[in-house]
Amino acid sequence: MSQREATSHPIERGNWSSVLGFTLAAIGSAIGLGNVWRFPYITGKYGGGAFVLVYIGCVLAVGIPIMLAEFLIGRKTQRNCVGAFQKLRPGSPWVVTGWLGVITGFVILSYYSVVGGWVLHYAFLSLKNSFTDRPPEEVSAMFSGLLGSPFLQIFWHTIFMLLTIIIVARGIYGGIERGNKIMMPALFLLLCGLLVYALQSDGAKAGLDFLLSPRWDQMSPTGVLEALGQAFFSLSLGMGAMITYGSYLRGEANLFRSSFYVAIGDTLIAILAGFVIFPLVFTFNLEPSAGPGLIFQTLPVAFSQLPAGGLVALAFFSLLTFAALTSAISLLEVVVAYFIDEKRWGRTKTAWLIGGIIFLCGIPSAVWGYFLGLMDQIATNYLLPIGALLIAIFTGWVLTHSERRSEFESGEIRALPYLSWSFLIRFVSPVAVAIIFIYKLGIF
Ligand code: TRP
């Protein structure tokens, strides 16, 4: 029996079947609404290619180091995000970092599921071919119709949450890994199909230009900070989601490599989503910086006028459903893992009970748009940056050099990557996160 097995928690926690299964699940957590909805729109706002370059810089210098830190803490402790800090520094206040993660997962999932419900509603509208040959005003009005109907929103929020609970209740291998192994390739294939379609549209050149040509005059300090914040949300960092996923890994996986795969996959999908969205937006002279309404209001207008637009819409919203679901399960798993590990509850009971409570807490977000926005602000502007900062400081300054190094090196890593990572996690990541946090508080 290896040392890792001997020290593992006696309760049956579950494991990934392979490093590939783990990496795919982490990619599934990362790729979500943040990629398909938010990334394309802020890229348009902050100078296209200029933003893409700054974003990639943030992912490399801050995103990957913190992701790797989360993976390593999870694998080393084999525990949920509260238990992980307890095990590494028993009795110290660092356990608060874990608590913060559980609370953040709870808060984000409550409204993420409402937005996931909008996506399901639009997938359903596409299935009924509701956009085709309708006038643009009528198509955009469908979104305000949805927002104005608490019944519809709660209905789809219920369905989305049920799907999330069912997958999580089935466990790490049988539910989460298998769900990702089905949904992620499906997402990728749908995206490739849509890409071929969009790149043949009349607006292809204008769309790609808008997204890629660097307009440095539109890049500002605010743009840099937006890029960093986007990197955290998109890579699922700052609340222990990656600690939790890492804790179901055993043995010697090269996590340095996995964190690169997740970052590359996540960034690639964000850029490709832009390659699908903007050509269609430009084909019909729609407003590329429409913001939150871009995929629910603007894009359906394009679908209503495109040849085979009903089918394209269905492909698009199915893709988005998969992206949102594979992220939502990682959010629920953070909270569920805590109760399984620390309270010894069974997985099925925990998933249904906790999922049910989060569902109830999401109802205010479904009936009251302001509340949804407020929860999102609290989570992304406060909870996630604080969590990321604490994780970076803990890994870089509280763990000893040899604790960090021994976990890093379990997976055939040589000195150079370790030294670069160690430098980034100690000096660059905490400073960068502190700056966005202070900035977002409005002190500058
Ligand atoms: N990364 C997901 C997205 O892009 C959202 C998400 C899932 C998330 N799990 C998370 C964000 C954990 C922060 C922390 O939509």
Side-chain angles (χ1 to χ4, degrees):
M1 192 186 262
S2 74
Q3 200 201 344
R4 206 180 290 285
E5 275 162 5
T7 54
S8 77
H9 217 228
I11 204 168
E12 192 41 71
R13 310 180 70 243
N15 284 110
W16 307 113
S17 73
S18 62
V19 181
L20 177 73
F22 155 74
T23 310
L24 206 62
I27 295 178
S29 167
I31 295 173
L33 298 166
N35 302 58
V36 184
W37 161 67
R38 198 156 181 274
F39 181 84
Y41 133 71
I42 47 174
T43 301
K45 187 166 164 195
Y46 292 106
F51 183 85
V52 174
L53 289 176
V54 172
Y55 179 79
I56 291 174
C58 294
V59 168
L60 291 175
V62 186
I64 292 179
I66 294 187
M67 190 188 305
L68 185 52
E70 291 203 21
F71 284 166
L72 295 179
I73 291 174
R75 184 180 60 179
K76 188 175 175 65
T77 57
Q78 302 276 299
R79 299 280 282 274
N80 67 91
C81 66
V82 174
F85 288 95
Q86 245 156 18
K87 192 162 169 180
L88 286 169
R89 288 296 177 271
S92 83
W94 283 99
V95 68
V96 170
T97 313
W99 277 112
L100 193 69
V102 172
I103 294 167
T104 312
F106 198 101
V107 172
I108 297 184
L109 184 55
S110 73
Y111 71 85
Y112 203 86
S113 168
V114 174
V115 181
W118 300 351
V119 176
L120 283 178
H121 176 69
Y122 269 79
F124 179 69
L125 288 179
S126 318
L127 199 63
K128 292 197 308 179
N129 206 4
S130 307
F131 307 128
T132 308
D133 296 331
R134 292 262 176 99
E137 311 74 54
E138 220 175 285
V139 174
S140 341
M142 288 177 180
F143 189 53
S144 22
L146 172 65
L147 294 189
S149 162
F151 170 78
L152 260 187
Q153 289 200 72
I154 293 175
F155 174 76
W156 289 111
H157 165 53
T158 312
I159 306 283
F160 188 87
M161 204 63 195
L162 281 175
L163 293 171
T164 308
I165 294 172
I166 289 169
I167 297 171
V168 170
R170 290 171 152 245
I172 300 306
Y173 172 65
I176 299 181
E177 182 172 332
R178 205 179 288 162
N180 274 292
K181 278 186 171 162
I182 298 168
M183 287 189 275
M184 293 312 289
L187 179 154
F188 191 69
L189 286 178
L190 287 170
L191 188 63
C192 290
L194 285 169
L195 206 57
V196 171
Y197 184 92
L199 292 182
Q200 287 172 354
S201 67
D202 297 336
K205 199 183 162 311
L208 294 193
D209 238 33
F210 179 76
L211 197 61
L212 290 186
S213 64
R215 299 179 295 277
W216 288 104
D217 53 310
Q218 290 171 17
M219 182 35 95
S220 57
T222 318
V224 177
L225 299 169
E226 284 277 347
L228 202 51
Q230 170 68 12
F232 282 126
F233 189 82
S234 191
L235 294 172
S236 299
L237 300 177
M239 54 155 275
M242 295 307 188
I243 294 181
T244 309
Y245 271 16
S247 77
Y248 300 116
L249 258 180
R250 278 162 184 263
E252 307 255 293
N254 181 335
L255 293 181
F256 183 67
R257 193 156 56 200
S258 294
S259 57
F260 263 93
Y261 288 157
V262 177
I264 291 170
D266 186 65
T267 307
L268 196 70
I269 298 290
I271 294 174
L272 292 182
F275 282 3
V276 168
I277 294 168
F278 288 114
L280 300 183
V281 166
F282 278 95
T283 301
F284 297 98
N285 294 318
L286 301 168
E287 181 47 59
S289 53
L294 186 66
I295 59 170
F296 294 111
Q297 270 176 309
T298 313
L299 213 52
V301 173
F303 294 146
S304 70
Q305 298 172 31
L306 284 165
L311 214 60
V312 181
L314 184 60
F316 182 81
F317 287 109
S318 309
L319 174 161
L320 204 55
T321 303
F322 296 146
L325 261 179
T326 52
S327 298
I329 55 184
S330 76
L331 290 162
L332 182 57
E333 181 60 27
V334 169
V335 188
V336 165
Y338 165 74
F339 287 96
I340 292 178
D341 284 356
E342 307 298 321
K343 306 286 176 208
R344 310 295 174 110
W345 291 4
R347 173 171 285 277
T348 312
K349 169 186 140 189
T350 315
W352 283 97
L353 186 68
I354 301 300
I357 297 173
I358 296 177
F359 162 77
L360 292 177
C361 294
I363 289 179
S365 294
V367 296
W368 193 22
Y370 172 78
F371 193 77
L372 191 154
L374 184 71
M375 290 295 109
D376 185 39
Q377 291 290 313
I378 292 176
T380 53
N381 290 352
Y382 300 92
L383 301 175
L384 288 179
I386 295 175
L389 184 62
L390 292 175
I391 290 168
I393 295 175
F394 181 82
T395 311
W397 298 94
V398 176
L399 289 184
T400 63
H401 178 70
S402 67
E403 277 174 309
R404 267 201 305 278
R405 181 148 200 164
S406 67
E407 194 58 33
F408 189 94
E409 285 181 347
S410 120
E412 319 148 41
I413 293 286
R414 287 174 307 274
L416 187 63
Y418 172 73
L419 291 177
S420 345
W421 171 67
S422 179
F423 173 77
L424 290 171
I425 198 76
R426 302 187 77 188
F427 299 102
V428 179
S429 311
V431 173
V433 184
I435 292 175
I436 40 168
F437 185 55
I438 293 170
Y439 164 80
K440 285 200 168 165
L441 287 179
I443 295 173
F444 289 162

